[in-house]
Amino acid sequence: MKLLWDSNIKQNICGSLLKVIQTELEELSAKLQSATFGLEHMFREMGQIYEAHASVNRTTGELNWSKYPELAAELMISGHPVELMDGDAGHVPLTWIIRLLDAVIKKLGDKRIFVLSVLGIQSSGKSTMLNAMFGLQFAVSAGRCTRGAFMQLVKVSAEIQKDFKFDYVLVVDTEGLRALELAENTSLHHDNELATFVTGLGNLTLINIFGENPAEMQDILQIVVQAFMRMKEVNLSPSCVFVHQNVTDIAAGERNMEGKRRLQEKLDKMAQLAAKEEVCNADCFSDIITFDVQTDVKYFAQLWEGSPPMAPPNPGYSESIQELKDIILTKASKSKALTLSQFKSRISDLWKALLNEHFVFSFKNTQEIAVYRKLEVQYGKWNWALRCALLNIEHQLHNKIETGKLDKVDRSYLVKEMTTTQEDVQKAMKTYFEDDEDKEILVQWRGRFESKIKEFHDEQVKEVKRKLEEVIQQRNTCKELDDKKAEFENKLLQKSKELAHELKDKAKDEKELQKQFNRIWDVRVSELAAAAPKIKDISIQDELFCILTDLSIEWSLINECKKRGKYKNMPKIGNFFGYVSITKGILAAKAWENVKAALRLNTLPYEEDQRIRSFIAEVERQSIEKIRTKPVASRGYTSTYLHEVASNVKDKVKAFESETKTYTFKNDFTVDLLLYVCDIAGKQLLKSHEEFKTNNDLLTHFKSKKDHHYRIFVSYCEGNSSAVVLGELICNKLKDSTVQAVYNMTAMELADEMMHSYPPLSGNKANLEKHILKSLAEKEDFDSYINYLRRPRSHMESFITEEVEKYILTEHKDKALSTLKKNVKRIEKLVSDAVETATEYVKTQGGDIDMWLEEFSSSLEDELAFSTNYGQNFGDINDFDFFKEELDKGIKSIVEEMSRLTIDSMEQFSERPDQLLIDHKCKTCWSECPFCGAVCTNTYEDHSPNDHMVTFHRPDGIKGFHFRDTVELSVDFCSTLVTRNQAFYPNSSSDQAVPYKEYKTAGGKYAEWSITPDNSTLAYWKWFVCRFQKHLENYHEKKFKGKGEIPSEWKRFTKEDAIRSLEKL
């Protein structure tokens, strides 16, 4: 028993001594590692000093720390390795590296580089291989000599540059995976990070394996395969070559074939394992990356013949190095080089993603996003070209319809007329996708954008056909009215001619002429009044009152809501609590308690407020669209139009209530919504009805023409010939149409000019958003911000109108007037040429005045509408040269009058340039971030399969997002929240929380958004929250306090800082 006791004591003592000795050895090893000192430590110190001073944006003393990157750049250009990743801290100093590469770009230019990286187990000969291959200076020795990652520039000779797409090879050497020194302090995660980082950086990655032992290969292969799988998931596609070093007999073909087979099996197995971990589909390694085991595996001889230090170098090693170099160059010739600036962005993108828990979820390819944004701008230009061409065709056909020369529009004709423009656009697209410097990135979107262009073309052709068919239908409807107008004018002309012959001796007696003209005028107008009923005015308010009472709404409630006037600002209401009645419904007890907790604060849960607000916006949009389709301007108003809108609103409210579980709307919500929507619809109906009345009320029409007909009568009395009188009639007809044609041409040209060169309107949606936010900051008006936040589409439309007015009426007024004058001359030439052509044609053909009028009208129809039925009263005209002279005089008078035209308001344009741009710019995606409400910055509606996204999110509290069961508004950015271990409640009536990191699993609108984890936030919104803190608190009836207290550092941002930060958008 005593012997057993002694034995146990000895074992315990030995075990304790062993632990003490191991601890001492680890401490000695750590000291030894810490004692190493090299130039990389000086580089590191420079970088840390620079980053520290850059973070506070100042210099200290006499030293200018901004020179540090330039000094490091000179060393890098001279061929010295530069530390990319701090090997001790496992950190990439982004600010330092980016400034260093900026300095390199400044000195060399944005050179093209081929990035070659290497991965392998510690002491497998990675650095030795690179040094031998390129004559580099990476540190080599037994043990862990490379720490972190280093990069070194290798200049390519002019001869090689001719055959390759790059000027430099940038070699990235890394520390060994599975380093013994880090065994206790690191994990598979560290190696995965390193492998992912250097694999993502490289065009080609060398996978260095020491020997052929499958057990040793197992460790590195799993890491490497997982890294390549991550690259596939984020659309990066590096290539790889496996290098087996220290192979005893590289000439043993059968043995090497067996080794390659085993490697292929291992890679396939690792691919399946990695696929499970990364939640990705892959059955074999070739599913992840293009890989040929026969050509992408290289066996190396041993470096030494025998055992060092006395062994000589092995010539076979040098031969293997040269063969590998040839393989690398072959692959490089087929690879797209990166520019230094693209490489800089790639470093930043990869490292920011690696700092987050889920790399694939976190990765944001800055270069790819920038290329996509450029593509959006180009796509906008292609769309605009198609839109403009179709507008011109629409104008031409509209003129033919107005002159009665077209009564049917064929789709095939529209498509044929668009052929040239469509081919030009297709050619421009082909050139862009095939010749752009980023064509390798663009290729992934080519098919989708070609389809989108075709869909847009077909959609626009369909829309133009619909609009022209409406014009034809309108003309057919008004044919009887037009015939009556023509009949009235011809009879009046005939009577005037006869009366003038009787009164030719009294031509100078103005009173007598006026008296006689009024007599025949009154007779004709009386006849007309008896035959044509007068179009009545309408009272929208009276109509609405009747409609609402028909819908069983009490008149007292209608009057009360009108008097209160709350309906006028319905979309801008911050809290809809007062509009609802709470009901438990089918809620579970716990969910009901959650709702009651919110109600005690006199507020609805945030999600419900947002649902109601979105519902109001959607009902408004649908109602406006419904009214726009009604032919009020062509056929007149009927009360059924407004009744249809009101009924639809009431039905929508009922449908919305049926989907809610916790509340129903009070009656005053329905009435306020009806008043709000019908007020907007009523104004549009009234405007269209006035247009209809102006164009279709015969008495109104002819009263406006009385002075003109009196002048014709006086002209007859003065003894003027038919040629003179018809010339006056034609010039009077031309006056209005030429002025309108000039304004239409000018509107199109100015809109096109702004689309291509006016900064606020010339880019994509993100650019437009930037200028909207800048404008809001300059105004510093809270109500304008609320309009932007609550009604983003309406605000964008208003902003475009403001910018167009500013461009045309103030900032570029001279340019706009110059365009107007140019179009006056263009129309003058068009009309003069038409007179010349018609005169020569009639003289050649021996025709009459009807032939002349027909030819004249045909010559003008592409640019302006002109038709007349005066021929029957002027059959005595046969001196067409004299007739031409009279017309030339009249045209000269018209041109003189048009030369005095100005642009004082948008109302002068029948086709407003701002509306042309609104139609083009606002047909976009309006999905809002489910957390902060930021609008998706994808320029086009259907951008699937891409998720909704926005460049910068906002603090959630701006939209009213608050902590549950409190009145504390949130100051968190959702792009930051998705990096934290916090959760949110997708459903206000449920206790089911979803981690922010897994927000997509909440489904619905959450699954449709891509919110990239990113700690970089926009100073603009921090300034906004501080500047309008009280306004936001009063609006939402909540406070920025407690968990939602505004960080003190936000208060240092000025308006100028906020506007400056928008340049990041």
Side-chain angles (χ1 to χ4, degrees), residues 136-352:
L136 306 181
Q137 303 172 26
F138 293 124
V140 292
S141 69
R144 183 177 179 236
C145 45
T146 303
R147 302 166 72 110
F150 285 79
M151 57 181 177
Q152 185 168 345
L153 273 178
V154 180
K155 186 166 177 59
V156 175
S157 67
E159 184 180 345
I160 294 179
Q161 282 184 33
K162 293 177 185 177
D163 303 320
F164 295 88
K165 302 175 183 177
F166 50 87
D167 309 297
Y168 287 85
V169 173
L170 190 139
V171 183
V172 180
D173 188 21
T174 62
E175 70 180 43
L177 305 175
R178 294 289 186 262
L180 295 175
E181 294 90 335
L182 299 178
E184 298 297 327
N185 304 316
T186 191
S187 64
L188 179 64
H189 181 69
H190 169 78
D191 286 341
N192 279 345
E193 275 193 354
L194 181 64
T196 302
F197 184 61
V198 299
T199 303
L201 288 179
N203 296 93
L204 172 65
T205 303
L206 297 177
I207 314 298
N208 195 56
I209 299 172
F210 191 74
E212 299 173 276
N213 188 335
E216 291 182 5
M217 288 166 56
Q218 179 90 10
D219 286 339
I220 185 172
L221 289 184
Q222 185 169 355
I223 296 168
V224 168
V225 170
Q226 191 162 348
F228 278 115
M229 183 164 286
R230 287 174 168 184
M231 293 306 104
K232 176 182 172 66
E233 287 292 288
V234 296
N235 294 323
L236 298 180
S237 52
S239 54
C240 70
V241 171
F242 284 83
V243 178
H244 282 273
Q245 291 215 45
N246 213 41
V247 177
T248 52
D249 185 5
I250 63 172
E254 290 184 10
R255 183 177 168 188
N256 290 344
M257 285 294 292
E258 176 62 19
K260 289 179 180 179
R261 186 188 64 78
R262 288 203 310 271
L263 175 64
Q264 183 74 65
E265 288 177 356
K266 286 286 180 185
L267 288 171
D268 291 345
K269 184 178 179 182
M270 291 303 107
Q272 293 165 10
L273 291 172
K276 289 180 182 178
E277 186 167 335
E278 294 290 329
V279 193
C280 175
N281 293 322
D283 295 323
C284 57
F285 187 58
S286 58
D287 288 343
I288 300 170
I289 187 172
T290 304
F291 176 75
D292 184 348
V293 74
Q294 301 302 324
T295 57
D296 295 338
V297 178
K298 178 66 184 166
Y299 289 92
F300 264 42
Q302 298 178 37
L303 174 60
W304 306 105
E305 286 188 339
S307 301
M310 300 302 293
N314 184 351
Y317 184 84
S318 297
E319 291 172 6
S320 299
I321 287 286
Q322 187 58 46
E323 290 173 9
L324 177 60
K325 192 172 182 180
D326 292 339
I327 292 172
I328 291 170
L329 290 174
T330 300
K331 286 185 173 290
S333 66
K334 300 172 184 176
S335 173
K336 180 184 183 295
L338 293 170
T339 62
L340 282 166
S341 57
Q342 290 170 347
F343 177 68
K344 178 183 68 175
S345 298
R346 182 74 62 83
I347 292 172
S348 176
D349 296 339
L350 285 165
W351 184 244
K352 285 177 180 176

Side-chain angles (χ1 to χ4, degrees), residues 396 399-400 403 405 830 833-835 837-838 841 850-868:
Q396 292 171 12
N399 292 337
K400 289 184 178 181
T403 55
K405 295 180 180 178
L830 174 75
D833 288 350
V835 170
T837 301
Y841 180 76
D850 286 326
M851 180 184 286
W852 189 97
L853 289 169
E854 178 66 28
E855 183 64 23
F856 180 69
S857 177
S858 298
S859 300
L860 295 176
E861 65 186 18
D862 284 348
E863 298 292 348
L864 52 90
F866 175 84
S867 64
T868 178

Side-chain angles (χ1 to χ4, degrees), residues 681-826:
K683 288 175 182 175
Q684 183 64 41
L685 287 168
L686 194 59
K687 182 180 177 182
S688 298
H689 182 72
E690 287 301 318
E691 185 180 340
F692 170 78
K693 184 179 175 183
T694 302
N695 294 332
N696 295 275
D697 190 304
L698 288 175
L699 293 177
T700 304
H701 171 76
F702 283 116
K703 279 179 184 178
S704 66
K705 301 289 184 181
K706 184 176 180 180
D707 287 343
H708 164 66
H709 283 287
Y710 175 68
R711 288 196 299 272
I712 297 297
F713 170 69
V714 171
S715 183
Y716 272 128
C717 291
E718 290 173 348
N720 288 327
S721 66
S722 294
V724 174
V725 174
L726 181 57
E728 289 179 11
L729 284 168
I730 290 173
C731 288
N732 186 71
K733 281 263 185 182
L734 283 173
K735 191 181 296 182
D736 291 339
S737 57
T738 51
V739 168
Q740 200 53 65
V742 165
Y743 276 115
N744 284 345
M745 291 175 183
T746 304
M748 279 295 298
E749 289 184 36
L750 292 175
D752 189 63
E753 175 72 23
M754 286 182 277
M755 255 294 296
H756 289 92
S757 62
Y758 188 47
L761 303 174
S762 60
N764 54 19
K765 185 179 179 182
N767 174 70
L768 185 54
E769 279 284 320
K770 176 178 75 175
H771 284 88
I772 288 173
L773 291 174
K774 182 181 177 183
S775 168
L776 286 167
E778 288 169 345
K779 290 178 182 176
E780 283 192 77
D781 177 62
F782 183 70
D783 287 339
S784 295
Y785 270 109
I786 289 300
N787 189 55
Y788 165 74
L789 294 168
R790 296 305 186 206
R791 307 174 70 199
R793 180 170 189 155
S794 172
H795 189 88
M796 182 178 282
E797 290 177 359
S798 299
F799 175 78
I800 291 173
T801 297
E802 285 177 16
E803 288 301 310
V804 171
E805 287 180 349
K806 185 166 69 173
Y807 182 94
I808 294 175
L809 304 180
T810 55
E811 291 183 357
H812 296 83
K813 187 167 185 176
D814 290 343
K815 190 172 188 178
L817 285 173
S818 175
T819 304
L820 189 75
K821 303 300 182 191
K822 180 190 73 177
N823 287 321
V824 167
K825 291 182 179 178
R826 179 179 165 188

